[in-house]
Amino acid sequence: MPDDLQIDIDRGSPVPLYHQVAQAFEQAIREGRLPPETKLENEIDLAKRYNISRPTLRQAMDKLVRDGLVVRRRGVGTQVVGPRVRRSLKLSSLYNDLRDSGVQPTTSVLTFETVVSADEVADRLGLPAETEVYHLRRLRSIDGQRLGIMENYLPLSVGTLTRESLEQDGLYNVIRRQGTDFQMAHQTVGATVATADQAELLGVSPGSPLVTVQRTALDSSGTAIEFGDHVYRADLYSYETTLMNR
Amino acid sequence: MPDDLQIDIDRGSPVPLYHQVAQAFEQAIREGRLPPETKLENEIDLAKRYNISRPTLRQAMDKLVRDGLVVRRRGVGTQVVGPRVRRSLKLSSLYNDLRDSGVQPTTSVLTFETVVSADEVADRLGLPAETEVYHLRRLRSIDGQRLGIMENYLPLSVGTLTRESLEQDGLYNVIRRQGTDFQMAHQTVGATVATADQAELLGVSPGSPLVTVQRTALDSSGTAIEFGDHVYRADLYSYETTLMNR
DNA sequence: AAGTGGTCTAGACCACTGT
DNA sequence: CAGTGGTCTAGACCACTTG
């Protein structure tokens, strides 16, 4: 199965070559130009074809493997993974589906204040006990549908937050604009049932299932910049991941 | 902060060098020999120190970054990440904690049969409609505590499954022993509330929160080898991940 | 035996950060 | 400015799978 795949590489671009190549393959796969089961050319020929070195091409392939788009086997080759594993079950990923199709989620700020942090919050953020922190509580909706309640704690050092900026833009965008850059986060996903308060805010019956997400986010220096404790309606939200073996 | 870190590299070992190096660093970090915030030596000096090339050392560092143990910044250096983000909240990760501390989970097989697959199951496994597949339903417990109900569908081509082998060993171990190797999986994590049946099996009240996990697993040729639909008690189970930016 | 991906080397230049 | 990680090259040898 030969490749008539056209890839334009712009060596003047600030975008790394391996990223350009990976992106081109990803697009081709998602558009069906490289159907499932397709066997790709071997690494050496592909590298020649695109006039890049083999290590650079491999870096691109590594990315595709990590994203679950292709599978490699030593002695055999590289194959495009079937689409069924890239599809979501039931309407679970409505949230991502909608956002990816260009529908913007809206956010209303329920609470915006600074508080003296509880011990657990201070600990999570790596701050001394009883430090003052931002505390916010927001209701996220999509298309008029109430989706979840998000509660966040942030050190004052992230910069100036205002109710208005948070209504207009995502929390991370507001923070990024002030110079702190999100680097990684640790998340715990679980389940609970709606309390009376939560049920009323979300427009569901008390006792309805909710997905819980607790997240600590770090900036590029490894400093904690946010602790979030969120609940989402289980019928509208679920969490998807790809696991790799090694 | 200099490194008196001793790393023994065995060039005769079949274990790749980058893996040996990454593992040594990971162990040192987890044991506290490299405390949080510690700045590592630069890549070139580290490579010299361990007598490996810089690309090989970088491969090891990439692994540490992906696992959330260190953070790198261009122009600055590499730092060990604080431990608070590697710790789990509440007793949520009891399952992993227990397994990691050597307690073996036990499994009882509730149902073991072959059935003609429903359309959705066949689709998930990439099989023609109405193909015969294994169907199993198991109850997982830990320390006498009932933890979750696991329902799985597998193509007959994975090999011979028996009730006995499943009682004794994990499903994946049974499969692996027959030559098929797990390569990657796509997972969807959500929430629901216990039905009467589920509640009785798990020893909780109907309406209790449950964590749902749906998973499709692929072997190294990209063929689906398992579709699983599981529920776990939310008070005993949660799902943890690390997200990276890029 | 031929073909594949997996690992490794010894350089090079660049982009970014801090002083 | 010096020092760092980020990217890239052009090879080499090995381990594994398949015919």
Side-chain angles (χ1 to χ4, degrees), chain B residues 202-244:
Chain B
L202 292 173
V204 298
S205 322
S208 298
L210 301 177
V211 177
T212 66
V213 177
Q214 281 154 327
R215 168 190 292 171
T216 303
L218 308 185
D219 70 8
S220 45
S221 75
T223 308
I225 54 177
E226 182 233 357
F227 171 57
D229 194 348
H230 308 155
V231 295
Y232 298 96
R233 285 176 54 169
D235 57 341
L236 297 179
Y237 184 91
S238 67
Y239 184 74
E240 297 192 27
T241 50
T242 300
L243 306 174
M244 299 301 309

Side-chain angles (χ1 to χ4, degrees), chain B residues 15-60:
Chain B
V15 178
L17 294 185
Y18 72 87
H19 195 271
Q20 293 184 40
V21 173
Q23 209 159 328
F25 272 96
E26 171 160 1
Q27 199 173 334
I29 291 172
R30 294 204 187 277
E31 288 175 358
R33 302 206 310 277
L34 289 175
E37 319 284 316
T38 306
K39 200 173 154 193
L40 269 42
E41 273 184 286
N42 72 57
E43 298 182 343
I44 298 180
D45 289 347
L46 280 176
K48 258 187 221 141
R49 178 187 297 274
Y50 303 126
N51 287 310
I52 60 178
S53 70
R54 188 183 164 207
T56 300
L57 180 90
R58 282 202 108 241
Q59 211 173 341

Side-chain angles (χ1 to χ4, degrees), chain B residues 110-126:
Chain B
L110 305 174
T111 307
F112 178 76
E113 57 182 358
T114 62
V115 299
V116 172
S117 66
D119 285 354
E120 189 203 328
V121 171
D123 187 45
R124 281 261 137 189
L125 290 174

Side-chain angles (χ1 to χ4, degrees), chain B residues 100-114:
Chain B
D100 293 348
S101 32
V103 179
Q104 282 299 326
T106 60
T107 306
S108 77
V109 178
L110 305 174
T111 307
F112 178 76
E113 57 182 358
T114 62

Side-chain angles (χ1 to χ4, degrees), chain A residues 98-137:
Chain A
L98 284 175
R99 195 191 46 194
D100 293 347
S101 32
V103 178
Q104 282 299 327
T106 60
T107 306
S108 77
V109 177
L110 305 173
T111 307
F112 179 76
E113 58 183 358
T114 62
V115 298
V116 172
S117 66
D119 285 355
E120 188 203 329
V121 171
D123 186 45
R124 281 261 137 188
L125 291 174
L127 297 171
E130 317 236 330
T131 307
E132 202 174 11
V133 295
Y134 284 116
H135 170 228
L136 26 140
R137 207 153 155 267

Side-chain angles (χ1 to χ4, degrees), chain B residues 31-199:
Chain B
E31 288 175 358
R33 302 206 310 277
L34 289 175
E37 319 284 316
T38 306
K39 200 173 154 193
L40 269 42
E41 273 184 286
N42 72 57
E43 298 182 343
I44 298 180
D45 289 347
L46 280 176
K48 258 187 221 141
R49 178 187 297 274
Y50 303 126
N51 287 310
I52 60 178
S53 70
R54 188 183 164 207
T56 300
L57 180 90
R58 282 202 108 241
Q59 211 173 341
M61 294 315 236
D62 284 345
K63 195 166 146 45
L64 295 177
V65 169
R66 275 199 307 276
D67 292 344
L69 293 168
V70 304
V71 169
R72 284 186 296 190
R73 277 191 298 166
R74 185 190 324 217
V76 179
T78 305
Q79 271 191 328
V80 177
V81 163
R84 64 188 164 293
V85 298
R86 307 198 304 264
R87 215 170 55 208
S88 55
L89 195 62
K90 65 176 184 181
L91 45 157
S92 53
S93 71
L94 182 59
Y95 177 70
N96 288 329
D97 287 351
L98 284 175
R99 195 192 46 193
D100 293 348
S101 32
V103 179
Q104 282 299 326
T106 60
T107 306
S108 77
V109 178
L110 305 174
T111 307
F112 178 76
E113 57 182 358
T114 62
V115 299
V116 172
S117 66
D119 285 354
E120 189 203 328
V121 171
D123 187 45
R124 281 261 137 189
L125 290 174
L127 297 172
E130 317 235 329
T131 308
E132 203 175 9
V133 296
Y134 285 115
H135 170 229
L136 26 141
R137 208 153 154 267
R138 294 169 297 157
L139 179 65
R140 167 137 300 173
S141 306
I142 262 183
D143 235 2
Q145 249 321 4
R146 283 167 285 180
L147 182 68
I149 306 165
M150 307 185 296
E151 193 157 12
N152 296 89
Y153 297 88
L154 303 93
L156 299 182
S157 55
V158 294
T160 307
L161 299 183
T162 67
R163 237 192 148 90
E164 294 69 36
S165 57
L166 290 170
E167 297 264 5
Q168 297 232 347
D169 216 335
L171 174 58
Y172 281 28
N173 286 335
V174 175
I175 293 174
R176 188 175 309 117
R177 206 173 301 124
Q178 310 213 8
T180 41
D181 234 344
F182 168 85
Q183 167 86 2
M184 75 180 180
H186 289 250
Q187 267 192 182
T188 303
V189 181
T192 189
V193 297
T195 65
D197 286 355
Q198 291 169 334

